[in-house]
Amino acid sequence: MERRTLLSLLAGGLAGLAGCGTPEGETETPTPEEGTDAPTETPPTEARVERSLTLWNPTPNPVFTTVVGVRGDRDVFFENRDLLPGERAGLSVAVPSGETAVLVETDTGLRARSTWTVDAAFEGLEVVLGRGGAEFWRTVSCDARGECSLAAATPDDGPRIDLPLVGDGSSRWYAPAGVVVENPGPETTARLRIVLGDTALVDQAYRVPSGARLSIPVTYRSGDYRVAVETDERRVETEWPVPDEPTKYVDVSSGATGCGPANTTLTIANRDDEPHRLSLRVDAASGDESFDRVLALDPGEVRELVPVTTSGANAVSASLETGAAVSGTWWSCPPRGPASVVVDATGTVSLRVAGPQPG
């Protein structure tokens, strides 16, 4: 049986849901006798609204994904998608207001479910696929000047700056760099302040419900920005280099910052026809213990390592027994793909990063 057929059973098999195939206990309807009319029942019509559904695969492997929305005993939506490594697919689905069960399964064995509470304040749902699980976020895009369904009182009524900032000619990319404020904990109010040089670009308070992600587009301009987020529980301040970090994420519940659910896989490849001993060191952006190994590589050998657990700027240095060496910064931030340390056929070692490069 093909994998698509297997995955299509998710809606009925994972949780005993109706809507695909014959529901359990249902019997064949008898043929009415001649001269009689078969009774008909019209199911009640439920008002629906259009919402966005985003499927994001930040892993280094392609995945075939099935996502099903269920309300009561009926399917609300059913989608299959092949997602490349790093791909983010945006869909439009019609869903009823209130609570909808969302089930996700991939051909890599991942199964997850959540409840999507649909209300007017949010534009949609984002499903982030990991190796061992999935994250579900209600999403809303907020204008940096305060146009947002979750905007609270503005702390500063000073002059407004037109955002996103236009580019300065030194870099080019096709979507504005922005800040994402997310909250896996209880609802809170957060004040966001973004500064470039001596200029405050954003100074705005937002109501951040549990399970919410607020996206604020800020700039097309390169520079070293500063981001501060303050709640009743804590204040978080962090540097934001643009375009190295296309998106700065701030978790208002824990205070953690980063550049998204990046792929943290580092591939080591020996493309030489000679064996090599590779000394590899990775100093993680998070400040965790350094990854420091000596690897014996056979000709043509390829290994996949996970030397870091969070996204950010990781310092990488690698050297061979021959004296060939390389060092550089591995920005494990979307939309970049997996990074590689490669020994080529001439015995030269290099650091490479897959995927589109902003800037």
Side-chain angles (χ1 to χ4, degrees):
M1 185 180 291
E2 294 184 356
R3 60 178 182 162
R4 285 167 173 76
T5 305
L6 286 169
L7 288 169
S8 70
L9 299 176
L10 170 64
L14 180 59
L17 301 171
C20 290
T22 303
E24 184 178 357
E26 186 173 298
T27 59
E28 184 178 351
T29 303
T31 303
E33 296 180 4
E34 185 177 355
T36 64
D37 293 328
T40 59
E41 292 184 6
T42 302
T45 301
E46 191 171 27
R48 298 190 180 193
V49 292
E50 291 292 327
R51 287 292 184 267
S52 65
L53 174 65
T54 302
L55 303 177
W56 189 0
N57 173 29
T59 73
N61 302 310
V63 294
F64 181 78
T65 305
T66 295
V67 57
V68 187
V70 179
R71 182 71 171 268
D73 60 352
R74 289 179 297 170
D75 291 352
V76 174
F77 57 83
F78 189 101
E79 298 285 349
N80 289 327
R81 283 294 184 275
D82 272 307
L83 299 174
L84 297 173
E87 184 177 0
R88 203 170 185 167
L91 315 172
S92 180
V93 295
V95 289
S97 298
E99 295 186 351
T100 297
V102 178
L103 313 176
V104 175
E105 181 174 295
T106 71
D107 60 352
T108 60
L110 183 152
R111 289 186 177 186
R113 69 177 296 159
S114 184
T115 299
W116 181 3
T117 302
V118 178
D119 62 46
F122 292 92
E123 297 166 2
L125 181 74
E126 182 173 70
V127 182
V128 184
L129 305 172
R131 285 179 168 146
E135 295 180 357
F136 298 81
W137 297 95
R138 290 185 293 163
T139 59
V140 61
S141 297
C142 296
D143 188 287
R145 298 180 64 181
E147 297 297 326
C148 179
S149 58
L150 299 178
T154 304
D156 183 5
D157 293 326
R160 299 288 183 91
I161 297 173
D162 287 335
L163 297 176
L165 291 178
V166 297
D168 53 9
S170 61
S171 301
R172 181 181 181 185
W173 59 98
Y174 297 98
V179 172
V180 173
V181 178
E182 62 184 25
N183 181 24
E187 179 171 329
T188 188
T189 297
R191 175 179 175 179
L192 171 66
R193 184 174 171 83
I194 303 173
V195 176
L196 176 62
D198 296 326
T199 304
L201 304 178
V202 177
D203 193 351
Q204 175 67 46
Y206 298 95
R207 177 177 65 87
V208 192
S210 178
R213 264 187 178 168
L214 285 64
S215 300
I216 302 99
V218 178
T219 184
Y220 288 95
R221 185 177 304 175
S222 302
D224 294 322
Y225 296 73
R226 298 192 306 278
V227 177
V229 176
E230 185 174 3
T231 66
D232 290 340
E233 291 76 28
R234 63 179 50 83
R235 176 180 173 83
V236 180
E237 293 189 53
T238 182
E239 299 297 318
W240 178 30
V242 175
D244 291 321
E245 290 186 78
T247 307
K248 172 64 74 174
Y249 284 75
V250 181
D251 183 327
V252 298
S253 179
S254 67
T257 64
C259 52
N263 174 21
T264 54
T265 298
L266 183 66
T267 299
I268 311 298
N270 180 18
R271 303 215 166 117
D272 198 358
D273 57 5
E274 298 289 337
H276 286 288
R277 290 180 62 82
L278 176 76
S279 298
L280 175 68
R281 181 182 175 93
V282 180
D283 295 313
S286 61
D288 292 342
E289 184 178 352
S290 298
F291 181 93
D292 200 346
R293 300 286 190 279
V294 176
L295 306 173
L297 301 175
D298 292 329
E301 183 175 2
V302 177
R303 297 190 193 182
E304 285 192 351
L305 308 175
V306 183
V308 298
T309 57
T310 58
S311 60
N314 309 295
V316 178
S317 58
S319 61
L320 300 178
E321 78 289 348
T322 61
V326 67
S327 62
T329 301
W330 165 26
W331 285 95
S332 58
C333 300
R336 296 172 174 90
S340 302
V341 173
V342 178
V343 182
D344 67 18
T346 66
T348 301
V349 61
S350 61
L351 173 65
R352 305 175 186 176
V353 179
Q357 300 297 305

